[in-house]
Amino acid sequence: MRLARLWLGIVVALALLAPWLAQNGPRDPVASALAAPARGLPFGADALGRDFLARMLVGTRLSLGLAGLAAAIAIGAGGAAGFAGAMLGSTADRLWLWTTNVLLSIPSLLLAMLLVAAWGPGIPAVVAAVGIGGAPVFSRVTRTVVLQLLGAGYVAAARAAGGGRLWTSLRHVLPNALPQLAPLAGTQFGWAFLGTTTLTFLGLAGDPALPEWGAMLNAGRVTLVSAPRLVLIPALAICLTILSVHALTAPSEIENTAR
Amino acid sequence: MAGLLSQGLTSSEQAEQLRRRLGYDLPLFQQYLHYLGRLLRGDLGVSLYSGQPVSELIGAALPSTIALAGASLLIAIPLGALLGGVAGWGSLPTFRRLAGTLASLFTSLPVSATGVIGLLILGRLAGSDPPSSQTGLWLPAAVLGSAASGPFARAVQAGLQSTRRSPFILAARARGLRQNGRLIWHAARPTLPAIASLLAVEAAFLFAGTVVTETVFSRPGLGRTLVRSILQGDFPIAQAIVGLAALIYVATQVIADGLARSADPRLRERT
Amino acid sequence: MIEFEPLPGGLFAAYAHPLKPNTLMVLPRLFRRSVLFIPVLVVACSSRDPSLGTLGYGLTLAPTGIDPHLNASVELGIPLSSVYDTLVYRDSETNGFVPGLATEWEVSPDGLSYTFFLREDVRFHDGEQFDAEAVRANLEYTLDPEHASQKAASMLGPLLEIEVLDPYTVALHLEVPFSPLLDSLSQVYLGMASPKSLTTWGPGDYQFHQVGTGPYRFVEYLQDDHLTLQRNPDYAWGPEIYSSRTAQIETITFRFFEDVATRAPALESGAVDIIGELPANEVERIAQLPDLEVQQIPIPGQPLQFMFNTELAPTDDVRVRQALVLGVDRAAIVSTVFGGYSPVASGPLAGDLFAISEEAAFPEYDPLAARELLGQAGWGGGTGLELRLVVPNWGSNPEVGQLVAAAWEQLGAAVTLEVAAGFGPLSQARGEGNYHAIGMNSFGTDPDLLRPFFASDGFFNWSGYHDPRFDQLLTEGTLESQSAQRSSIYSDLAERVREQWLILPIREYVNLVGVNRRVEGLRFSPQGWFPYLIDLHLRP
């Protein structure tokens, strides 16, 4: 637990401080290809002679940032859809049900890939696709929570006291829904991180020089044998980050599944 | 129909003509209906580049992917059952926690990273021999299989935990049934529906996982075909592969549902 | 206590120790047993078929079309130059031409008529007889404007008429003399296909049913999956440049390895016996492995290059183009990406074959001059300079593109790099016109290969530069037959290309070919890319 917080703390701090910490630009060749780690180049150089530490540092920003954006999309779109489905009555609810079921019939990673196929490779496509891929699950949970709350006594009482429907929901349901949904945001981030790093690993981000951990992991495969650090470092970074996120969010997840 | 794009498009007018010819300018809904119609006839379309039927292209790539998915499943199910069993029923709390942690680990770690680490470890163990050349099928299957075992293990664990303390089990133990396989089987039966539906999730997981695993281990298969079709913009191929995955996913869910109902009579009465 | 026991194949089986009572296996024994089957399944799937008579060859690019008459890719020539024979063949030792399907030929004094006397004992793989009519059918198929041949048609130049004089004599009549003609007729793009198959299948589908006269038969091709060739047992009319009379390997299967990271593993695992375009920084390690060796084959033709778009600002300004060339350390890029294996390119043609004068060479890296030029052109400090570079996904273009983009960013520009996944997407990007530099090049043994790139109406004139002086030089080059004179004409052209800074030349191609030592006799044609598959044999 503590380790998880420590690692995430480090990673977030590095993300914020990256531009000042990196001695070289992530795209500038500064040494010969695959130069071994040395003074001034703690992680050595990659296959194009770029400072690998600088790329990892900038990668912190990119990897966390892209995942965060995707998670925000999933939470925003999913939450809004679930809320609307629960609130707006049977037609909207049935539409929501139908849409969600269609989207859920495809594994989320493949759904994301299909969306990238339709929009063409690129960073915006990857982020949007992962976000939309994660939205159905979140919208389902939102809807469940909201429905539960709507059934609670005090909401009916507030309505009986004369409050309008929408106003009642915003005042009573929303504040009570948020604490239940908040822990799931962490899980969403975990899945979003997995999604974005996987899609960039597959080369769907469009920019071959992108200093993002998943893309760097892919680029390092060519020199797997001659320069294993170029894959080992991004792999470890990705694993530790995902593990930390899951360690911090898993307990609440188990609670929710047990219900 | 010969490869439309094999000569490349040299102007945006040509691109517009192509769009119209392929029906891409129709409203999405209509396109979807057309697609469904062709699908029912078994026509998955043709590659935009070579004009070769998508069904042939997918058919060529399918065996390698099936081999990987099958081998991974053969690893995932026993491994997941083992981990879940220990986590849910093991007598020593240390083992329970260890198994549970392992299951969590397997679920959350991406195959891209674990696969690469697996290759590196194998390289170290094998000495000077380059790792990626000698893995055959077993290393990718082990990596993907262990990743897929995670959710399965968690479901088994949850199921066993909830039934372990249930009255009928306590009664059975009181009657003298010792903690052994038969008891566990009786405990596990009510959880089988949940586990069966998890198998459907496994199928989905494996489909997505094979895409990445094939890339990591340089294996041919649907994963490579899918990624290539996305990068090139050869949409019919991408559409068909994802559609096939969705079909299999839904089919496994239906089968799992059926299995669940036959295993647990309580479910049969519900609609 | 859960015990773990290692099984063959490195798997572990978990089982419950029977004497320790608190251990439990969750699922029935069925699953336990199935675990034991895994190594068997695995071993069966991973072993490679060692039967002699089969060869695996790795291709590194899945061309969008593989009809040599219509498509320009060199990758298609790797298998197909053994499916087709040509009228003449180029001899790399003498640099002259030797008989192929034509036993002899005569050129009229005015250079306008070439008469070919054909062999009478040649049969196509479908049983049809090869004759003068077949030659005509092939050339007409190639020249048909509706077929939109990307390379072969332009290789025929000013061909006016094909005249069948008798069943085994054919005359080609040109509008003006055309010195590259024999070189063109020696390449797979003008290989002789069965007219019956050409008409049966038509231009779109013929590529999947190719029929030639060569030492190997085309069996089947599935896009990006495999292409299979089978030995032609009736082959008895090979040119003298072939060491063997007939093919010695029964089946050759070509598989595709576009992902660079998959090539070395494929070679090392034995999935392929031969594969080209190995990444330069893996070559040293591979060459040291006991079963493998690496050949370095220089490829004549154009270098790896980026063409500037002269029709789009800011690259429509010649000073900007010059700055973008001088601002790139080409030598450093070549050293980083290609190790010591490639010479730095210094002009639009690569290879000693062309004897281009040193005076036409592109200058070396000069960042100060580059910055000054940008300032003169109104882009002081590079502010506001936005550039878009489109590169194909083959030949390490993406890596070179990244370093070129980084160099231009050092000059202050904002660069977008786009990798086109194949020739189709690349030409689409070209069609959209939204690029300041685009990567594309061609290969060959005659300098006339430049014509599609620099003629005003050239198919590959992607820089959009139209100059009648260029057209004049290109025509003169084909009218002239003396090689020394031709060299000076093309040197002149190269100088003018440099004057206008139309290209950024990076490296001269050297194909790094990995070969399994069980294969012997691997030789390549003068064009560099194409192996003489007929000479390959497996060590007993």
Side-chain angles (χ1 to χ4, degrees):
Chain A
M1 252 329 214
R2 243 175 300 151
L3 284 174
R5 291 216 179 90
L6 182 65
W7 171 256
L8 283 180
I10 293 177
V11 159
V12 172
L14 288 178
L16 293 173
L17 298 174
W20 295 277
L21 288 175
Q23 285 182 322
N24 301 299
R27 295 168 190 251
D28 301 329
V30 292
S32 59
L34 302 180
R39 294 196 65 183
L41 275 183
F43 283 2
D46 69 352
L48 295 184
R50 299 177 291 208
D51 181 352
F52 199 63
L53 175 60
R55 288 176 67 77
M56 285 299 297
L57 284 176
V58 177
T60 317
R61 284 201 152 190
L62 270 175
S63 306
L64 291 182
L66 294 180
L69 265 175
I73 292 177
I75 292 170
F83 199 78
M87 291 298 313
L88 293 179
S90 55
T91 345
D93 201 26
R94 244 178 296 158
L95 178 68
W96 172 91
L97 201 68
W98 181 85
T99 321
T100 324
N101 280 340
V102 167
L103 289 178
L104 280 175
S105 70
I106 309 176
S108 58
L109 182 68
L110 290 181
L111 176 61
M113 290 180 78
L114 187 65
L115 290 171
V116 174
W119 295 326
I123 295 180
V126 166
V127 170
V130 173
I132 293 180
V137 174
F138 195 75
S139 77
R140 236 192 204 173
V141 180
T142 311
R143 178 176 172 273
T144 313
V145 167
V146 171
L147 281 178
Q148 254 180 2
L149 289 172
L150 283 178
Y154 64 92
V155 178
R159 288 223 204 113
R165 201 162 166 213
L166 199 60
W167 179 235
T168 321
S169 53
L170 283 177
R171 269 206 70 188
H172 290 279
V173 174
L174 205 54
N176 289 299
L178 286 180
Q180 288 189 47
L181 294 173
L184 290 169
T187 322
Q188 280 297 119
F189 179 79
W191 286 113
F193 187 80
L194 187 66
T196 50
T197 48
T198 302
L199 289 187
T200 51
F201 174 77
L202 293 174
L204 300 178
D207 178 3
L210 192 69
E212 191 270 349
W213 291 346
M216 289 163 68
L217 184 64
N218 187 28
R221 283 167 50 231
V222 182
T223 50
L224 183 79
V225 181
S226 27
R229 64 189 150 85
L230 297 178
V231 291
L232 192 60
I233 297 174
L236 285 178
I238 293 175
C239 289
L240 286 175
T241 308
I242 290 190
L243 284 177
S244 307
V245 172
H246 272 252
L248 292 175
T249 59
S252 51
E253 211 184 288
I254 291 182
E255 260 178 59
N256 281 327
T257 43
R259 267 194 221 141
Chain B
M1 184 168 62
L4 300 166
L5 296 185
S6 62
Q7 307 282 56
L9 298 169
T10 50
S11 70
S12 46
E13 290 100 53
Q14 279 194 334
E16 198 45 50
Q17 271 180 18
L18 182 63
R19 284 178 60 85
R20 256 180 265 129
R21 227 174 118 187
L22 292 175
Y24 280 159
D25 59 335
L26 293 173
L28 268 181
F29 195 59
Q30 244 183 314
Q31 285 186 44
Y32 190 55
L33 284 180
H34 284 214
Y35 186 70
L36 285 181
R38 288 201 302 270
L39 209 61
L40 287 173
R41 277 178 268 136
D43 173 15
L44 288 172
V46 295
S47 157
L48 289 181
Y49 286 96
S50 68
Q52 285 184 307
V54 172
S55 43
E56 260 184 58
L57 297 169
I58 291 186
L62 201 54
S64 172
T65 301
I66 288 183
L68 178 60
S72 306
L73 207 59
L74 284 178
I75 292 179
I77 293 180
L79 183 59
L82 174 66
L83 286 177
V86 171
W89 200 275
S91 35
L92 289 174
T94 336
F95 287 137
R96 282 207 301 274
R97 233 177 310 156
L98 184 65
T101 315
L102 268 181
S104 281
L105 218 79
F106 287 158
T107 325
S108 37
L109 292 179
V111 180
S112 50
T114 51
V116 153
I117 292 179
L119 277 176
L120 286 175
I121 294 177
L122 186 63
R124 286 272 164 268
L125 292 177
S128 58
D129 286 326
S132 43
S133 63
Q134 273 138 27
T135 57
L137 183 59
W138 74 266
L139 185 59
V143 169
L144 186 56
S146 36
S149 70
F152 192 57
R154 294 255 284 270
V156 171
Q157 170 189 1
L160 284 178
Q161 272 176 336
S162 64
T163 59
R164 188 181 185 176
R165 303 251 174 263
S166 65
F168 76 93
I169 291 295
L170 291 173
R173 279 160 84 168
R175 279 202 308 271
L177 242 71
R178 290 190 305 126
Q179 294 212 95
N180 60 12
R182 273 191 75 194
L183 187 64
I184 295 162
W185 176 241
H186 282 289
R189 271 197 76 180
T191 69
L192 284 183
I195 293 177
S197 70
L198 223 334
L199 283 180
V201 179
E202 291 297 332
F205 193 102
L206 279 179
F207 246 103
T210 50
V211 173
V212 181
T213 315
E214 284 170 359
T215 308
V216 174
F217 292 92
S218 309
R219 287 179 57 89
L222 285 184
R224 189 180 79 172
T225 312
L226 178 60
V227 173
R228 188 167 175 270
S229 66
I230 295 177
L231 290 174
Q232 284 203 330
D234 202 346
F235 197 68
I237 298 182
Q239 202 175 33
I241 294 179
V242 175
L244 183 67
L247 197 67
I248 294 184
Y249 184 42
V250 169
T252 45
Q253 277 185 321
V254 169
I255 294 176
D257 236 13
L259 285 177
R261 272 173 218 228
S262 63
D264 187 346
R266 294 177 292 175
L267 289 176
R268 285 188 212 140
E269 276 140 33
R270 299 196 204 139
T271 29
Chain C
M1 187 64 173
I2 308 269
E3 311 271 19
F4 291 86
E5 176 195 80
L7 287 176
L11 279 174
F12 297 105
Y15 64 95
H17 197 292
L19 293 180
K20 311 228 171 118
N22 287 332
T23 310
L24 305 156
M25 277 298 289
V26 178
L27 284 182
R29 290 192 220 116
L30 172 64
F31 283 109
R32 246 180 288 165
R33 290 219 191 96
S34 69
V35 171
L36 294 176
F37 279 126
I38 294 174
V40 176
L41 175 72
V42 158
V43 167
C45 290
S46 61
S47 63
R48 190 177 145 262
D49 178 43
S51 73
L52 240 53
T54 325
L55 182 103
Y57 204 117
L59 294 177
T60 56
L61 178 64
T64 40
I66 62 161
D67 184 344
H69 307 89
L70 306 183
N71 301 105
S73 166
V74 287
E75 205 73 9
L76 63 84
I78 295 179
L80 296 178
S81 42
S82 301
V83 171
Y84 296 101
D85 290 311
T86 48
L87 291 180
V88 298
Y89 286 84
R90 195 168 193 127
D91 184 340
S92 44
E93 280 166 41
T94 64
N95 220 25
F97 296 96
V98 298
L101 293 175
T103 52
E104 47 183 308
W105 53 93
E106 287 166 4
V107 185
S108 65
D110 59 2
L112 296 178
S113 290
Y114 287 68
T115 310
F116 293 92
F117 301 93
L118 307 174
R119 290 186 74 120
E120 304 185 13
D121 59 342
V122 178
R123 286 193 168 279
F124 287 103
H125 300 146
D126 60 2
E128 297 288 303
Q129 180 78 11
F130 168 73
D131 56 16
E133 277 298 335
V135 174
R136 173 160 66 185
N138 269 274
L139 295 180
E140 284 177 355
Y141 174 86
T142 304
L143 290 171
D144 187 338
E146 285 188 19
H147 296 171
S149 164
Q150 293 171 352
K151 181 165 176 149
S154 81
M155 291 168 77
L156 289 171
L159 181 62
L160 271 183
E161 191 202 335
I162 307 122
E163 192 189 349
V164 174
L165 296 173
D166 71 45
Y168 294 100
T169 316
V170 62
L172 303 184
H173 300 295
L174 308 169
E175 192 178 48
V176 290
F178 187 66
S179 49
L181 186 66
L182 284 180
D183 179 86
S184 300
L185 292 171
S186 75
Q187 296 201 42
V188 62
Y189 304 98
L190 290 169
M192 292 295 141
S194 154
K196 184 164 154 217
S197 298
L198 287 176
T199 25
T200 311
W201 297 107
D205 292 324
Y206 171 71
Q207 58 178 312
F208 304 113
H209 307 274
Q210 305 197 36
V211 176
T213 59
Y216 276 95
R217 289 181 204 195
F218 181 96
V219 175
E220 72 170 359
Y221 166 60
L222 195 57
Q223 180 195 0
D224 193 38
D225 190 73
H226 69 276
L227 186 154
T228 318
L229 299 183
Q230 197 173 24
R231 177 176 172 270
N232 176 11
D234 306 323
Y235 192 71
W237 44 83
E240 62 194 62
I241 57 172
Y242 287 169
S243 304
S244 328
R245 287 217 67 213
T246 177
Q248 295 147 81
I249 297 180
E250 179 60 34
T251 312
I252 302 184
T253 307
F254 293 83
R255 292 195 187 275
F256 296 90
F257 297 89
E258 284 197 324
D259 183 351
V260 184
T262 57
R263 293 174 201 166
L267 186 65
E268 295 169 46
S269 69
V272 294
D273 299 294
I274 305 175
I275 188 165
E277 290 278 80
L278 289 173
N281 39 30
E282 293 289 290
V283 164
E284 210 182 296
R285 179 181 67 81
I286 293 172
Q288 284 169 3
L289 294 173
D291 305 330
L292 303 176
E293 62 174 20
V294 178
Q295 291 190 20
Q296 302 173 38
I297 313 290
I299 315 279
Q302 286 179 303
L304 191 160
Q305 64 180 6
F306 299 144
M307 294 184 279
F308 290 109
N309 188 349
T310 59
E311 292 173 328
L312 188 66
T315 41
D316 55 350
D317 184 338
V318 64
R319 291 169 299 185
V320 172
R321 298 198 296 267
Q322 184 180 4
L324 293 179
V325 172
L326 294 180
V328 174
D329 189 349
R330 297 166 9 249
I333 290 180
V334 172
S335 161
T336 302
V337 181
F338 303 104
Y341 297 109
S342 256
V344 182
S346 49
L349 279 175
D352 305 322
L353 180 62
F354 306 111
I356 301 295
S357 135
E358 289 286 316
E359 290 169 17
F362 274 59
E364 283 175 12
Y365 179 46
D366 192 346
L368 289 171
R371 273 179 239 267
E372 217 183 284
L373 280 161
L374 283 182
Q376 281 173 21
W379 300 99
T383 37
L385 193 60
E386 283 179 20
L387 299 169
R388 200 177 147 81
L389 172 61
V390 178
V391 300
N393 64 341
W394 59 75
S396 298
N397 268 284
E399 285 72 31
V400 172
Q402 292 176 55
L403 292 178
V404 168
W408 289 345
E409 287 185 341
Q410 292 280 12
L411 293 177
V415 184
T416 313
L417 175 63
E418 187 189 304
V419 177
F423 180 69
L426 185 70
S427 44
Q428 262 170 272
R430 144 67 182 167
E432 285 161 20
N434 185 20
Y435 60 91
H436 297 102
I438 192 164
M440 181 63 198
N441 62 327
S442 173
F443 305 97
T445 32
D446 190 292
D448 188 49
L449 63 95
L450 290 180
R451 189 158 41 90
F453 287 77
F454 294 107
S456 302
D457 59 351
F459 185 80
F460 285 113
N461 187 346
W462 291 2
S463 54
Y465 186 75
H466 311 295
D467 188 339
R469 292 177 310 159
F470 276 40
D471 297 330
Q472 197 186 348
L473 279 172
L474 288 165
T475 315
E476 268 177 51
T478 61
L479 293 174
E480 177 59 58
S481 54
Q482 293 297 315
S483 63
Q485 262 84 302
R486 292 189 81 204
S487 289
S488 93
I489 293 173
Y490 288 102
S491 300
D492 198 357
L493 181 65
E495 271 193 66
R496 287 170 197 269
V497 168
R498 186 192 60 193
E499 260 167 46
Q500 290 298 323
W501 304 96
L502 294 178
I503 62 173
L504 172 62
I506 304 287
R507 73 124 173 183
E508 305 195 356
Y509 265 79
V510 172
N511 190 9
L512 300 169
V513 186
V515 191
N516 191 313
R517 286 191 198 273
R518 80 176 190 116
V519 178
E520 289 179 340
L522 180 62
R523 286 166 55 224
F524 290 87
S525 78
Q527 279 84 32
W529 287 111
F530 312 134
Y532 293 139
L533 296 177
I534 189 178
D535 289 343
L536 291 176
H537 53 274
L538 301 173
R539 220 193 302 167

